[in-house]
Every structure is written in C-alpha cells, then in structure tokens.
C-alpha cells in the first residue's frame, strides 16, 4: 500500500513538472510569435467548443500572423508531443476542431484574396477568407465561387476545403472538391509543399526522392496501383450516384484519375485534401475555380405538403425540371419560426399548417421563363396528387425564404429544457431516388425508440438533415445517442450511401468509417494518415483512430443542471439552459460586410472572445463547473462579458435567440453581489438623479462638463474618456415645458395619446420632445404625459437589475390602467420605451406579469405610431412640404432588434419628395454609457468606423442624417462633426 502511494506521489510530481515545463515552453513560444498565443482558462474555454456536441480543453490557442508562426507551432508540437488543430470559424458540426493540442486559428490574419485571373476563371486566397466576402469581391467581375453553406456569411474557405463543404445549390455546383485547383501547404515536418494537377510523367517524377512529399506520392501510388485495393474501394465506398460523399479520405475519387484509371483527368492530391479535416496538411494558400454568375432571375416555388413523404416524392418531379436548389423545411422548423423575432417575419408565405414545405429554386434569363417552369412543375405535382399550395416568390422575398431555411440549425436550439435536437445522424446522404424509402426506414428506427426527428435541408441532393430530440445530460440519452448512430450507420450502408454528405466525419462519425468502407479500406485510410503525418501531429483522432462517438461530449452522463435564483425570468428554463441554447453555429461571427447588428465588438476586434457564442460558452463553463456558492463570481466571465455592448442584436439575429444583453445584466448583478458595485456603474445607473439635480442650474452644469480643465477633471474622476464630449442639459426639462404649455382645452374628436417622458428626452433631448408634442398636436392628436417614473434603462445597462425591477413594477402599476389600444403609450428614445416590450416582461413581480404583458401590446415607438396612423389614412402627405430632401437613416440597435426601421423609413418618406436610404450599419458603437467609458472608448470608435461614420462623412452637407437614438446622434457628432436629427425632428421640420 505504501509503495503504491509513493508511486502515485512520484507520478503526480512528474506530471506537475511536465505542466510547469510546458507552461515555460509556451511562454517561450509566445515570445517568438508575431501573432498571438493564449493559454489562459478563458481562451481555452472559448475555443474548446465548435458547433458540435463535443468538448475538449486545448493546451493553447495560437492566432498566427504568417507562415513563420505556423512553422514554429508545428515544431513546438513535435518537440512536446502535442498536436496542431487548424481552425477557421469553428462552425463544424462533428467535433472537427476540438482537441487537447494547440488550436491554430487563421480567421484573423490569413484573410487576403491574393490573386484573381478573371479570364481563366480562378482565384487564389488564404484560408481565412469568408465565402460570401469572396463572392462580393468576385461579383464586379461577373464571377462567383459556387459551393454555398448555410453559414456562408462566416464560413471560411479553409474550413470549406477541410469539410469539403457544399450547400443548397449543390445540385448545380456540387462540393468544394470539384472547385479546388491547387493548394500550398505545410506538411507535418514543417516543409512547404504545393499540390496541383499533374500529368502522368509529373506524377511519377513527384515520387522520386526521400522527402516527406515524395513519400506521400509513393504511398498513394502503391495503394491505388494494387488491383485488389481497386476492387475493394469500388465495391465498398458509397455508390457514385451519391454525389455528396464525405466518408473518410477520398481515395475512391483519387482512384478515378490517371495513372490509375485510363481516360480520366490528371492526378491531383487536392481531391484527397478536400474533406481531410486538417489531418494531413496545414493549408496556407488555396486556388479555386470560379464560375460565371448565375442567371439574374430566379424564383422560389414553395410547395406545401401534408407530409414529409409527399414532399420527398414530389422532389423527384421538381428535379426533372433542373432546379438550382430543392430544400426541405419540416413542420418542426416552421413551428420554431413562430416564436423567433427575426424568422417570424420570414414565414409570411406559409399557408395553414403544412407537414413540410419544399423550396425549389428555378433560374432563367427572365421572370416569364421561371413562371412557365413553375407552372409545369405544379401541374405535374397536382396530377400526382402532391402538394396543396404553390406560391412562387421573386425578388426580395427570396432572400427572406433562404434566411428562414438557413436558420434551421439555430432554431432547433430554442427548445426549452435539456432535451435538444442533437447532431448525431444529421448528415447522411443517399441516392436522391432512394431518399423517400430511406427516410421511411429511418423514421421506423426512430419510432422503435420512441423518438421523433426534425427533417430539413438538401432534398435535391439526397441529403436531409435529421436531428432526433435527445437529452445528452442523462445516461439513457448518452446511450441512445450511440444506439441511434449505430443503427442509422447500418441503414446508410444498406443504401450504399455516405454517413457524411457535407459536415464531415470529425469525432462523431469517424468511429463508423470502418463499417462504411470495410476493414480493408479502413486500413488503407490509416496508411494514408501515417504517411502524411507519421507523428500524428495534425488534428489527431479525426477520420481514423477516432474514439467512441459518445465520449468527450459537452455533457457527462448523469450531469445535473443546477438551479439558479435569478432576477430575470428565463421562460420555462433557467439562466444556464438559456446560455446552452447557443449551438455554436457562429452566426455572431459575421462581419460588417454581411450587414446586421450582432455582434459589434467582434466585428471590430475579430477576436473569438468577443462573440455572442463566446459569452454563452463562458457562462456555460462556469455555471456548470464552478465550485463556488455564487457561480457567477468569476473574473473570467467578467472579462468576456466586458465588451458586450448590450445592443440586443443577438436577441433577434441569433437563430437560437440567445439574449446576451440579458445574460450580461443578470451576471453583473450577481457579480456585484460578491464584489460590490463600482462607483462608475452606480453613477451611470443614477443618470436621471444627476440630470434632475443639474436641471436646477443647467447653465452651470453645462459649463462644468464642456469647459476644460473642469470637464477633464470630471471625466477622469468618473472614469470617462477625456476625448469624449459630455451630453449637456436643455434650458428646461420636457416635463416642466409640458406643464407650462399644456393646452387647457381638449379639442373634440382628437385622438388621445400618452407620451412616455423618458429620462434622456426629459433632460438632454428636450427640444426633440417638444417638437414631438407639437408635431402630434398639429397632426390632430391630444398628447398627455401620464404619471410614471424613469424607464430604468441606465440601471439595466449597468447590471443593477434589482433596481430596474422596482422601476418596472412601479411603471406597470402606474400605467397599466391608463394605457389601452385606443390610447397607446408612445416613446421617443428607443432604448427607453422598448423596455416595456422587452425587459419588463421578464422583470416584473409575478402578480404584475399579466398587466405587463397587456401593457407591452400597447406601447410603441413614436415612429411606429405615426407609421400606423399613415396606414389608417389619419396622417397624409398633403400635411407636409413638397421640398426635395435626401435622408440617410441610421437605425437604433434595439429598434432593429425588437421592432424594425421600416416604420422610420415610412414616416421619413411621407413628404412626397423626401428620399430615404438606410445606412447598412450595425451598432454605432456608443451603446449608452459604453462609449463614454475610458477603457471602451477606442473600441467604441472602432465600431463606429466600420460603416456608420465613414458613410456619414461622405454625405453632402445638405443631406439630412437621421438617427432615432440619443447615443447614436452623440456618436455621429463626436465621430464626424455632423449633427444628426431624430426622425421626429425631420418630420416636424417638414410640416407644410
């Protein structure tokens, strides 16, 4: 016994010395890199999880700046017996980019488009180039890169090569493999190599010598020249009619090239590299084939069916007419769209409650041709008694439909509780003619286990994404996860299909490759890996030698979800379960070029830790694994949450509806409980109190905050940026002006509206409030400011949500009996008035919840109210000027998330010669107090410089800049010197 204890002590000491040594060597590596290396727990937590169910802590994360950095990392991995895991956006679905080695993220610096040859139709890029942004670059040249993933606005070319990605248009453009011409790469020994098309003589010449590259060529020649191997490969790999084939290394594709098969195309190792998941080489440059832009006119025939089986049989009819896509959306997905802010707007075309919808895209040179094709398809389907509604959509509507379809993966994470639609067998592909029978067999297997599945995606290519609902936190769920995988793998083999059609093998499917290709072929795949990577440095345990697929999961069997006492409600779940809705799909990694608001700090920094996904991950990590009584009390969470601007973009744009602004506020309250409330946070939260005091002598207040050196001293004392101008007070408050100028007589037949006198309009933007009242009165409305307290926005923004809760309760108490559909409450500042529709619902006391919900239905932005009145004919263009004006509109973040800028565009377009264009900006960067805070000022300006500020600077002086948000107007003034107007000011000034 004593001997055994001594052995364990010795082992522990050796392990400790090894860890200390490794940390010292990592420190040396960090010093030698031009890029960045992170080995702290926070970064490891953030990079540990991709979009899959798998989780493993990496040793470190490197963000290399150049090839020299990459070579140093590979050398370090060799010296320390660890691994290198290539990563782009981290949106793989099968655990490809998780591991305990060094994650090497090329998404920040390897992002250049290096060369375009438009005449020969090819482009050369670095692996971190985003697919959609590549196509933005190619579009002026009449070209584009065909393969499209549903993640195309953040998916990177390196990742698309690694997974051999394709998407909805694969019936025309197939997969990345078919477009990959050449690559430059680092081999596992650190040497540089270039792989491209080779004729027979060039191929044999490559086999000469004793380099690693020569060994690679010799090994594949030996394997594929063997007749028995050829027979076995052709017998066991998926049949050729299954075009989506990502099972193992593509030696079946290599076999169909010279010198192994006569009359075929030249040999090119790119066929093998595509789909190899970073296990063979580290790509540094990629040359792609590009194609002419598709026909300009395309229409979506959105056929409604009573069942999935009907849809899949109709799919075969749709394919006869050569569509560019045929995509399935089942009723589970459609149900999820009803409660999603963004996607509920995109289901406008849905009639009734279909069992499935098949979205079929037809493209032609003109709309008439598309209409004719659609008529023929509809006629044939109806004659086969398939389908009951056949809407054909064009133009802007098509984008809405594709957005709805692409949101499927994220929407599935919205299920409350621990049971989720899991990615276990969601990537199987069969011959499209086998698809109806395959899905029938598939559902029989699920029925046997009392399971049901969602069905969506690529019907036209024989691949339906299938996700059964399983709770992976339970022992039973973990075992069921495996059982389903095993049984479906057997089913796929029966149909000679591919276990992976586009998402790759990774950790999830690697274990079953031997079953899919046969034991002999599997040994050939292992030989390929050993030859390319003798020391198993590149992304080990993927494709070959993969551990059990139900090990190393994010959740351990029998794991209990802790209970949390929170201030906010989290709608049939707790705070951890809300964070767990994030499925890692990385929608928050899109850049400003793709549009949208989420996630402004990532758009500026391009750092993973500044994404919505990272913030959900850090909460998931510590709320699950913390040993503290207060699980929120971790500085690591604070560091990751710090750069969240609480823009609310994620609440609508994240398909999983992860509301990080809400999570941040809840976290801060509990963090303050343990660590105290910082002085500046308390100061900002009490903004209205200081406004009230300052309004006694506004001139003195304004002198102090605008005159140096007094203002500089105040800013430094408060922790504000000295470069930032401070908001000033108006000579009176809006409430005082209203009392003094309120009409004593009520005009008969005037519609009564209640105006919420928010704290920002009351003290700072009083003139806007005055103009709002005068505008409404001149348009025939009686305006009343009811009794209420402040909105609580400042307290919410700083995480003092118990204070905000008291405010919410008070406002609901004061206003719920007054506000009705006939006499609504309208507000000027979006961030203030929208608290009634957002946070109040989740904050108020339980007994006030029904009243809060009823009140929320009758609360409107002033833009929304006027737009509604325009629609009713109560406000007309004849009441406004005929003068010509150009307007550029920047929408407020929370307006875009919780409402829409459509109402703002509508009211600004009311004067008949006013032309309005929305600036495609996300967040302005100011975000309330965020842009004032000294440590956030630079990032605030970075965010503004992405789109908004450069656009404003380009505008002629007579162009009106409109912005409903007080923070946005402040940022525009500080960043450009231009004065932006509230939409109501613009409309007031336009009165005839």
């Amino acid at each position: 016994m004593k001997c055994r204890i001594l052995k364990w002590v010795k082992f522990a000491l050796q392990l400790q010395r090894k860890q200390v040594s490794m940390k010292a060597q990592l420190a040396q590596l960090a010093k030698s890199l031009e890029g960045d290396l992170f080995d702290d727990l926070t970064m490891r937590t953030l990079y540990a999880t991709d979009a899959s169910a798998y989780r493993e802590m990496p040793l470190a994360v490197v963000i290399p700046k150049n090839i020299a950095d990459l070579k140093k990392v590979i050398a370090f991995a060799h010296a320390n017996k660890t691994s290198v895991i290539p990563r782009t956006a981290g949106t793989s679905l099968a655990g490809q980019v998780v591991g305990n080695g060094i994650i090497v993220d090329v998404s920040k610096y390897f992002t250049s488009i290096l060369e375009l040859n438009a005449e020969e139709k090819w482009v050369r890029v670095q692996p971190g180039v985003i697919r959609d942004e590549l196509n933005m670059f190619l579009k002026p040249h009449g070209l584009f890169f065909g393969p499209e993933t549903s993640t195309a606005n953040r998916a990177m070319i390196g990742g698309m090569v690694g997974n051999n990605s394709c998407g909805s248009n694969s019936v025309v453009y197939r997969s990345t493999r078919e477009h990959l011409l050449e690559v430059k790469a680092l081999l596992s020994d650190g040497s540089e190599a270039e792989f491209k098309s080779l004729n027979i003589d060039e191929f044999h010449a490559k086999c000469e010598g004793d380099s690693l590259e020569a060994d690679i060529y010799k090994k594949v020649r030996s394997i594929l020249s063997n007749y028995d191997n050829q027979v076995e490969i052709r017998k066991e790999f998926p049949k050729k009619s299954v075009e989506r084939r990502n099972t193992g290394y593509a030696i079946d594709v290599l076999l169909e090239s010279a010198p192994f098969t006569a009359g075929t195309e030249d040999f090119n190792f790119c066929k093998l590299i595509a789909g190899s998941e970073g296990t063979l080489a580290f790509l540094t440059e990629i040359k792609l084939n590009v194609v002419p832009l598709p026909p300009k006119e395309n229409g979506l025939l959105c056929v409604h069916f009573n069942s999935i089986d009907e849809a899949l049989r109709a799919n075969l009819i749709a394919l006869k007419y050569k569509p560019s896509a045929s995509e399935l959306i089942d009723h589970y997905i459609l149900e999820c769209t009803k409660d999603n802010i963004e996607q509920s707007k995109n289901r406008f075309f849905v009639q009734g409650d279909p069992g499935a919808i098949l979205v079929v895209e037809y493209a032609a040179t003109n709309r008439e041709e598309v209409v004719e094709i659609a008529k023929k398809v509809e006629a044939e389907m109806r004659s086969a008694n398939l389908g009951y509604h056949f809407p054909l959509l064009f133009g802007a509507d098509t984008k809405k439909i594709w957005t709805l379809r692409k949101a499927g993966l994220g929407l599935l994470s919205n299920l409350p509780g621990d049971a989720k639609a899991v990615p276990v067998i969601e990537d199987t592909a069969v011959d499209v003619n086998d698809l109806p029978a395959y899905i029938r067999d598939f559902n029989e297997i699920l029925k046997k286990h009392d399971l049901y599945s969602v069905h969506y995606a690529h019907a036209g290519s024989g691949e339906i994404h299938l996700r059964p609902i399983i709770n992976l936190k339970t022992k039973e769920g973990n075992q069921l996860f495996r059982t389903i995988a095993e049984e479906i793998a057997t089913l796929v083999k029966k149909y000679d299909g591919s276990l992976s059609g586009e998402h790759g093998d990774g950790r999830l499917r690697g274990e079953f490759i031997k079953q899919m290709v046969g034991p002999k072929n599997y040994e050939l795949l292992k030989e390929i890996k050993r030859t390319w990577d003798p020391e198993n440095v590149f992304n080990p345990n993927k494709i070959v030698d993969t551990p059990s697929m139900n090990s190393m999961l994010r959740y351990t069997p029998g794991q209990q979800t802790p209970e949390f006492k929170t201030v906010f409600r989290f709608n049939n779940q707790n705070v951890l379960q809300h964070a767990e809705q994030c499925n890692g799909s990385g929608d928050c990694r899109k850049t400003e070029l793709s549009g949208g608001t989420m996630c402004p700090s990532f758009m500026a920094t391009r750092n993973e830790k500044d994404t919505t996904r990272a913030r959900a991950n850090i909460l998931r990590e510590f709320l699950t694994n913390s040993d503290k009584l207060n699980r929120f009390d971790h500085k690591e969470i604070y560091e990751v949450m710090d750069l969240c601007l609480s823009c609310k973009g994620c609440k609508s744009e994240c398909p999983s509806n992860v509301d990080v602004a809400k999570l941040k506020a809840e976290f801060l309250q509990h963090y303050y409980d343990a660590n105290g409330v910082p002085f500046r946070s308390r100061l900002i939260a009490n903004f209205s109190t200081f406004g009230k005091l300052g309004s006694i002598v506004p001139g003195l207040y304004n002198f102090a905050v605008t005159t140096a050196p007094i203002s500089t001293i105040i800013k430094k004392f408060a922790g504000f940026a000295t470069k930032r101008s401070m908001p000033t007070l108006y000579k009176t408050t809006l409430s005082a002006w209203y009392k003094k100028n309120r009409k004593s007589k009520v005009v008969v037949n005037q519609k009564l509206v209640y105006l919420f006198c928010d704290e920002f309009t009351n003290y700072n933007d009083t003139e806007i409030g005055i103009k709002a009242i005068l505008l409404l009165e001149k348009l025939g409305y009686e305006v009343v400011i009811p009794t209420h307290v402040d909105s609580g926005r400042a307290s919410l923004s700083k995480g003092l949500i118990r204070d905000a809760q008291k405010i919410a309760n008070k406002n609901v108490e004061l206003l719920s009996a007054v506000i009705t559909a006939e006499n609504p409450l309208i507000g000027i500042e979006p961030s203030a008035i929208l608290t009634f529709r957002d946070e109040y619902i989740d904050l108020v006391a339980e007994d006030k919840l029904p009243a809060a919900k009823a009140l929320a239905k009758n609360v409107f932005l002033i833009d929304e109210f006027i737009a509604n009145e325009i629609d009713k004919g109560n406000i007309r263009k004849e009441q406004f000027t005929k003068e010509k004006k150009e307007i550029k509109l920047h929408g407020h973040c929370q307006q875009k998330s919780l409402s829409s800028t459509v109402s703002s565009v509508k009211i600004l377009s009311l004067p008949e010669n006013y032309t309005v264009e929305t600036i495609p900006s996300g967040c302005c960067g100011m975000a309330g107090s965020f842009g004032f805070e000294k440590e956030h000022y630079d990032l605030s300006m970075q965010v503004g410089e992405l789109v908004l500020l450069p656009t404003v600077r380009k505008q002629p002086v007579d162009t009106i800049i409109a912005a409903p948000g007080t923070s946005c107007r402040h940022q525009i003034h500080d960043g450009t010197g231009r004065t932006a107007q509230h939409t109501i000011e613009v409309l007031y000034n336009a009165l005839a």
Side-chain angles (χ1 to χ4, degrees):
M1 183 70 181
K2 188 176 178 182
C3 182
R4 192 179 299 170
I5 292 171
L6 286 171
K7 271 188 176 179
W8 276 109
V9 169
K10 186 178 178 183
F11 173 75
L13 288 171
Q14 286 174 341
L15 185 63
Q16 186 180 26
R17 280 195 293 271
K18 187 177 179 183
Q19 288 173 338
V20 170
S21 172
M22 185 71 83
K23 284 194 172 185
Q25 291 193 55
L26 280 170
Q28 286 298 113
L29 177 64
K31 286 179 185 177
S32 72
L33 295 173
E34 290 185 51
D36 306 307
L37 181 142
F38 304 92
D39 67 339
D40 60 282
L41 178 59
T42 301
M43 288 305 299
R44 284 160 55 204
T45 299
L46 301 182
Y47 280 90
T49 308
D50 64 0
S52 70
Y54 293 89
R55 171 187 181 277
E56 192 172 0
M57 287 296 180
L59 173 67
V61 176
V62 172
I63 302 178
K65 270 195 173 177
N66 49 43
I67 291 174
D69 280 352
L70 291 174
K71 288 184 175 182
K72 288 172 186 174
V73 174
I74 293 169
F76 178 91
H78 274 287
N80 291 277
K81 306 297 182 191
T82 188
S83 60
V84 174
I85 304 166
R87 183 187 197 270
T88 50
T91 56
S92 292
L93 292 174
Q96 282 92 331
V97 296
V98 295
N100 59 12
I102 300 174
I103 304 285
V104 181
D105 187 334
V106 296
S107 67
K108 188 170 183 178
Y109 298 118
F110 280 72
T111 56
S112 297
I113 298 171
L114 302 170
E115 187 180 3
L116 169 66
N117 189 318
E119 190 176 325
E120 295 180 9
K121 296 186 176 60
W122 57 260
V123 67
R124 195 161 53 87
V125 301
Q126 290 182 311
V129 169
I130 294 171
R131 186 267 183 189
D132 276 0
E133 293 182 10
L134 172 61
N135 280 346
M136 291 175 196
F137 169 82
L138 293 171
K139 189 174 182 180
H141 304 278
L143 300 168
F144 86 123
F145 174 60
E148 177 189 31
T149 68
S150 62
T151 59
N153 65 356
R154 67 267 188 201
M156 297 169 190
I157 300 300
M160 291 185 72
V161 171
N163 284 349
N164 187 33
S165 299
C166 50
S168 60
N169 63 8
S170 67
V171 291
V172 177
Y173 299 108
R174 301 187 67 187
S175 66
T176 302
R177 179 177 287 128
E178 282 73 41
H179 299 266
L180 185 62
L181 301 176
E182 300 176 9
V183 298
K184 288 184 179 178
L186 295 179
L187 300 180
S188 63
D189 63 354
S191 62
E192 296 183 38
E194 184 174 7
F195 298 103
K196 59 185 178 180
S197 181
L198 303 172
N199 61 35
I200 292 176
D201 291 337
E202 290 169 328
F203 172 79
H204 289 302
K206 281 284 188 181
C207 297
E208 300 302 318
D210 56 2
S211 67
L212 177 56
E213 184 180 1
D215 290 345
I216 288 166
Y217 278 95
K218 278 184 276 194
K219 175 54 70 175
V220 81
R221 183 172 65 180
S222 169
I223 289 173
L224 297 183
S225 297
N226 182 294
Y227 176 75
D228 291 339
N229 289 346
Q230 292 179 356
V231 170
E232 193 72 11
I233 289 168
R234 289 184 173 124
K235 174 189 169 190
E236 294 288 350
F237 269 75
K239 58 185 177 183
K240 291 182 182 179
S241 59
V242 181
E243 292 193 346
R244 285 170 168 258
R245 290 140 63 209
N246 271 354
T247 296
Y249 295 126
I251 56 174
D252 59 327
V253 180
L254 272 188
L255 179 59
E256 304 305 323
S257 61
F260 310 109
T261 302
T264 55
E265 62 184 24
D266 288 346
F267 182 91
N268 191 335
F269 256 135
C270 288
K271 304 294 183 188
L272 186 75
I273 288 168
S276 63
E277 301 181 359
T279 63
L280 301 180
F282 201 113
L283 307 188
T284 58
E285 288 184 20
I286 299 166
K287 184 178 176 182
L288 300 167
N289 164 66
V290 292
V291 295
L293 287 167
K296 289 186 178 179
E297 195 63 68
N298 64 75
L300 297 185
L301 185 62
C302 302
V303 192
H304 292 44
F305 300 93
N306 294 312
S307 70
I308 290 165
D309 186 64
E310 271 187 39
L312 295 181
R313 286 186 283 127
N315 176 55
L316 298 176
I317 295 173
L319 291 174
K320 287 163 60 177
Y321 294 86
K322 306 297 181 187
S324 47
S326 183
E327 298 284 294
L328 184 78
I329 309 174
D330 81 350
H331 67 286
Y332 293 118
I333 297 282
L334 292 170
E335 277 297 308
C336 290
T337 65
K338 291 179 180 177
D339 297 324
N340 181 279
I341 295 172
E342 193 75 8
Q343 301 311 325
S344 60
K345 303 168 192 172
N346 294 331
R347 67 188 319 276
F348 65 93
F349 68 101
V350 179
Q351 185 181 96
D353 193 18
I357 290 176
L358 197 65
V359 180
V360 191
E361 181 181 71
Y362 291 104
T365 53
N366 58 66
R367 186 167 293 193
E368 290 72 25
E369 288 181 55
V370 175
V371 171
E372 280 305 306
I373 296 170
K375 283 180 181 176
K376 291 176 183 176
V377 174
E378 180 177 349
E380 187 169 346
M381 286 186 183
R382 285 191 184 276
S383 69
N385 199 28
L386 297 171
Y388 68 85
H389 182 49
F390 294 78
L392 179 62
L393 303 167
F394 292 95
D397 285 342
T398 62
K399 186 176 181 182
K400 296 174 187 175
I401 309 305
W402 285 135
T403 301
L404 182 82
R405 198 331 253 136
K406 290 179 179 182
L409 170 62
L411 289 168
L412 296 175
S413 299
N414 292 354
L415 299 170
D418 291 330
K420 301 292 181 188
V422 297
V424 53
I425 32 76
E426 96 300 338
D427 198 32
T428 58
V430 296
D431 184 310
V432 69
N433 294 292
D434 293 334
L435 191 58
Y438 168 75
I439 294 298
R440 285 194 292 271
D441 288 350
F442 173 91
N443 283 320
E444 282 301 313
I445 290 173
L446 290 195
K447 188 177 177 182
K448 180 179 73 175
H449 293 287
D450 263 345
L451 291 174
Y452 64 92
S453 172
V454 295
H455 304 66
Y456 71 102
H458 317 301
S461 303
E463 176 174 355
I464 303 295
H465 292 327
L466 305 152
R467 290 193 167 209
I469 313 298
I470 298 175
N471 183 358
L472 290 180
K473 291 184 179 179
T474 66
K475 291 179 182 177
E476 297 78 12
N478 181 283
Q479 184 54 49
L480 192 56
F481 186 62
R482 177 176 191 81
T483 301
I484 293 298
E486 289 173 337
E487 294 188 14
I488 298 303
T490 301
L491 179 65
V492 172
K493 187 65 177 173
K494 169 187 168 184
Y495 282 92
D496 288 326
S498 176
L499 200 56
S500 170
E502 62 177 341
H503 295 158
D505 297 315
R507 285 278 173 82
L508 181 60
R509 285 173 276 272
E511 182 185 359
F512 302 106
I513 293 176
K514 181 187 286 189
Q515 179 183 353
M516 303 313 295
V517 302
K520 183 173 180 180
N521 286 331
Y522 185 68
E523 287 305 314
L524 298 181
L525 301 188
K526 291 176 76 172
E527 282 188 51
I528 294 282
K529 170 64 174 175
R530 281 195 297 268
T531 305
W532 283 72
D533 187 13
E535 293 189 40
N536 208 19
V537 167
F538 286 145
N539 205 8
N541 306 125
K542 316 298 186 332
I543 299 184
V544 296
D545 299 318
T546 309
S548 173
M549 55 81 70
N550 59 331
S551 62
M552 289 176 287
L553 294 177
R554 181 179 292 154
Y555 305 121
T556 55
Q559 179 173 319
Q560 296 297 309
T561 300
E563 291 297 320
F564 296 91
K565 188 175 181 181
T566 55
V567 184
F568 276 120
R569 288 183 193 81
F570 283 90
N571 302 318
N572 301 317
Q573 55 185 193
N574 65 32
V575 61
L576 172 59
Q577 290 169 329
H578 184 76
E580 286 174 341
Q581 282 186 191
C582 173
N583 68 357
S585 61
D587 298 66
C588 45
R589 283 187 62 102
K590 67 184 189 304
T591 74
E592 72 280 1
L593 297 178
S594 295
T597 302
M598 177 182 71
C599 176
S601 51
F602 172 77
M603 289 181 184
T605 68
R606 303 295 174 93
N607 289 328
E608 171 73 19
K609 79 177 185 67
D610 300 323
T611 61
T612 299
R613 173 170 72 181
R615 291 164 187 138
N617 273 349
I618 200 76
L619 278 173
R620 171 162 43 206
E621 179 69 19
F622 284 101
L623 296 187
T624 300
N625 299 315
S626 175
D627 56 2
K628 289 187 177 183
L629 188 62
N630 180 347
R631 292 176 182 242
F632 295 93
D633 182 21
H634 289 278
K635 193 178 179 185
E636 292 91 345
I637 305 177
Y638 188 92
E639 289 171 357
V640 177
M641 288 289 183
D642 184 48
L643 295 188
C644 170
L645 281 74
S646 299
C647 68
K648 288 281 181 181
C650 51
K651 187 176 175 75
S652 61
E653 292 177 32
C654 170
S656 304
N657 289 139
V658 178
D659 185 348
V660 170
K662 180 179 178 181
L663 290 171
K664 179 182 180 179
E666 185 73 49
F667 156 71
L668 283 173
Q669 180 67 80
H670 296 282
Y671 188 77
Y672 293 158
D673 290 345
N675 299 282
V677 182
F679 168 74
R680 187 179 65 192
S681 296
R682 187 74 74 185
L683 187 71
I684 293 165
N686 288 286
F687 161 82
S688 58
T689 302
F690 292 102
K692 188 175 183 179
L693 290 171
S695 66
I696 299 170
V697 279
L700 180 61
Y701 177 93
N702 292 341
F703 177 81
V705 299
T706 59
T707 307
I710 302 171
S711 65
T712 304
I713 294 168
I714 291 171
K715 290 173 194 175
K716 286 183 176 179
F717 176 74
F720 294 146
T722 55
K723 295 177 185 177
R724 179 68 74 185
S725 71
M726 298 295 287
T728 56
L729 300 175
Y730 194 66
K731 59 187 176 184
T732 184
T733 64
L734 181 60
S735 55
W737 181 92
Y738 170 75
K739 287 174 186 174
K740 183 177 179 181
N741 294 277
R742 185 179 183 186
K743 291 182 179 180
S744 55
K745 281 189 177 182
V746 176
V747 179
V748 179
N749 295 328
Q750 272 194 330
K751 181 172 181 176
L752 172 65
V753 294
Y754 290 99
L755 180 70
F756 184 73
C757 181
D758 68 79
E759 52 271 39
F760 310 102
T761 308
N762 194 32
Y763 299 115
N764 306 106
D765 299 325
T766 308
E767 199 168 5
I768 297 171
I770 293 169
K771 287 181 178 179
I773 293 171
L774 295 176
L775 171 67
L776 289 167
E777 288 178 347
K778 288 185 180 183
L779 293 174
Y781 300 86
E782 181 190 358
V783 182
V784 172
I785 296 179
T787 303
H788 64 75
V789 294
D790 297 333
S791 70
R793 171 53 58 198
S795 295
L796 285 164
S797 73
K798 301 317 295 177
L800 299 176
I801 54 177
R802 291 196 189 94
D803 293 346
Q805 186 177 53
K806 292 172 187 173
I807 293 169
N809 285 330
K810 187 69 175 174
N811 272 331
V812 169
E813 187 181 303
L814 291 169
L815 294 169
S816 57
V818 179
I819 304 305
T820 64
E822 293 74 29
N823 306 121
L825 181 68
I826 60 178
I828 294 167
E829 168 54 35
S831 65
I833 193 66
L834 290 173
T835 55
F836 287 89
R837 300 222 298 243
D838 186 23
E839 289 95 346
Y840 280 22
I841 303 295
D842 295 326
L843 266 182
V844 294
E846 200 66 35
D847 63 329
K848 291 183 171 59
L849 183 57
K853 287 182 176 179
L855 176 60
K857 292 177 182 176
N858 299 313
V859 174
F860 300 94
L861 286 167
I862 193 167
D863 299 39
E864 292 175 319
F865 172 76
I866 293 175
N868 290 337
E869 293 298 290
I870 292 170
D871 289 341
K872 294 174 185 175
N874 297 333
I875 299 174
R876 304 173 310 283
K877 66 179 180 180
E878 291 78 18
Q879 294 169 283
F880 295 89
T881 183
K882 293 189 177 181
E883 187 181 359
K884 192 172 182 179
K885 290 284 185 183
E886 299 284 333
I887 302 169
K888 291 282 187 179
L889 170 68
H890 166 73
H892 186 279
C893 289
Q894 292 177 10
Q895 176 184 2
K896 286 182 278 195
S897 176
L898 303 168
S899 170
S900 168
T901 57
V902 170
S903 59
S904 298
V905 173
K906 178 174 280 190
I907 70 172
L908 291 174
S909 304
L910 185 59
E912 60 182 289
N913 292 315
Y914 275 30
T915 304
V916 187
E917 186 179 340
T918 302
I919 299 171
S921 48
C923 180
C924 71
M926 192 66 166
S929 65
F930 185 90
F932 286 95
E933 295 161 358
K934 62 181 181 181
E935 70 274 23
H936 296 146
Y937 173 81
D938 288 340
L939 178 64
S940 167
M941 299 311 295
Q942 262 184 280
V943 172
E945 292 292 348
L946 292 172
V947 176
L948 176 61
L949 301 182
T951 304
V952 170
R953 290 190 199 105
K954 291 175 186 174
Q955 304 313 310
V957 290
D958 56 348
T959 296
I960 297 171
I961 308 298
T966 184
S967 295
C968 309
R969 295 191 297 275
H970 198 120
Q971 178 80 317
I972 290 168
H973 182 268
D974 280 3
T976 69
R978 294 284 293 266
T979 299
Q981 299 177 38
H982 193 289
T983 46
I984 294 309
E985 288 182 279
V986 178
L987 210 55
Y988 174 81
N989 294 336
L991 283 166

